[in-house]
Amino acid sequence: MSEIITLQMLGEEFIAEKKALGYKFISDSGIIRRFIRKYTAETNGDVNLSKEAVLEYTKKLFNQTDSTVCRNITVINRFSEFLNCRGYKAYIVPAKMLPKLNRNFKARIFNDEEILRLLTAANSIDYAKQNPLKMHQVPVMFSILINCGMREAELLNLRICDVNLNENVFTILDTKFHKNRYVPFSAVVAEEINRYLDVLKPQNGEDLLFPSPKTGGRYNNSAVNLYFRLLLRLAGIPHEGHGKGPRPHDLRHTFAVHCLNSWALSGVDLSVALPVLSRYMGHSGLSGTQKYLQLTAQMYPDILKKLEEKYGCIVPTREGAL
């Protein structure tokens, strides 16, 4: 008697295939599994994905952003393609039905005085009984984001073994674009980490550097945004509203722009420096890094002429998402 193939089995096979190809596929796995649970509960396990079921699951909810809807649809579409290749029938949402995303979000670059205010605000966090580590974690978390230009997810994934306090360097493993890299940090950041570790008292190298007080596991990405909104308020920096920023990711943009400005003023050859910054930031290529030149020129217009005279049209004229 042949084995009965279920949608759950095919979902796990699809997830395993993606991971075997080198994809982390953590959040995407959650999207697939949640979809399968809802679908099978309503269709008695039928493995053929109907148009009605797919559209019902991927429709926008009142609290969802367009980018979240696009992410859900894209992941479900890839699963549908997988099922179609296996001989099943699965509806694929046409590209024209996806929400139109704003690809021209303008990064908010903080000046030196605003950065100082944010760091001062982080160090002013009061003790909270429900989260005793908060007053120790927030200053170090944002010192790293500001001084090292990390992505928020990279920060939250750091383990104790990823922090080398002898060489003052972080090890960033299997991050966006599946790249590994080393990120050096200053003596000031090292001192802050050491003080924090004296309070944290980790048990072994696999422990998270910033464990969540609720679960002891990884913080949710939204936690960084909540802390950032708090720091903006304490620092007297206005927030323009949902989807308008500033965002925690703008600290990464700020880091890159300040690096380029410092190099340009110091006479560093940017044609040599750009590949270095690209590697440091973990970009997949130079195009993403080059866009920071435009932000640098906007933030520091006095160096635009200097850049154009030396590098011609190296500064992009069209702004895109970073």
Side-chain angles (χ1 to χ4, degrees), residues 32-45:
I32 294 295
R33 288 174 177 140
R34 287 191 294 273
F35 170 70
I36 290 175
R37 284 197 297 269
K38 179 176 176 59
Y39 186 84
T40 54
E42 297 179 355
T43 62
N44 296 318

Side-chain angles (χ1 to χ4, degrees), residues 91-111:
Y91 177 73
I92 296 176
V93 181
K96 64 182 180 181
M97 292 182 62
L98 270 66
K100 302 299 181 183
L101 300 180
N102 177 16
R103 297 294 186 183
N104 292 316
F105 188 100
K106 292 185 178 180
R108 171 69 151 79
I109 307 302
F110 296 97
N111 59 39

Side-chain angles (χ1 to χ4, degrees), residues 105-110 142 145-146 149-154 175-177 181 221 224-225 228 232 245-257 281 283 288 292 295 321-322:
F105 188 100
K106 292 185 178 180
R108 171 69 151 79
I109 307 302
F110 296 97
F142 282 89
L145 290 175
I146 289 171
M150 279 189 191
R151 300 178 178 96
E152 300 96 273
E154 295 171 349
T175 184
K176 189 176 181 181
F177 307 118
R181 71 186 195 279
N221 284 13
V224 176
N225 187 58
F228 184 61
L232 288 174
R247 312 160 298 169
H249 201 70
D250 289 328
L251 298 175
R252 176 172 162 86
H253 300 326
T254 297
F255 171 84
V257 167
M281 302 292 286
H283 288 161
Y292 286 125
L295 293 177
L322 294 172

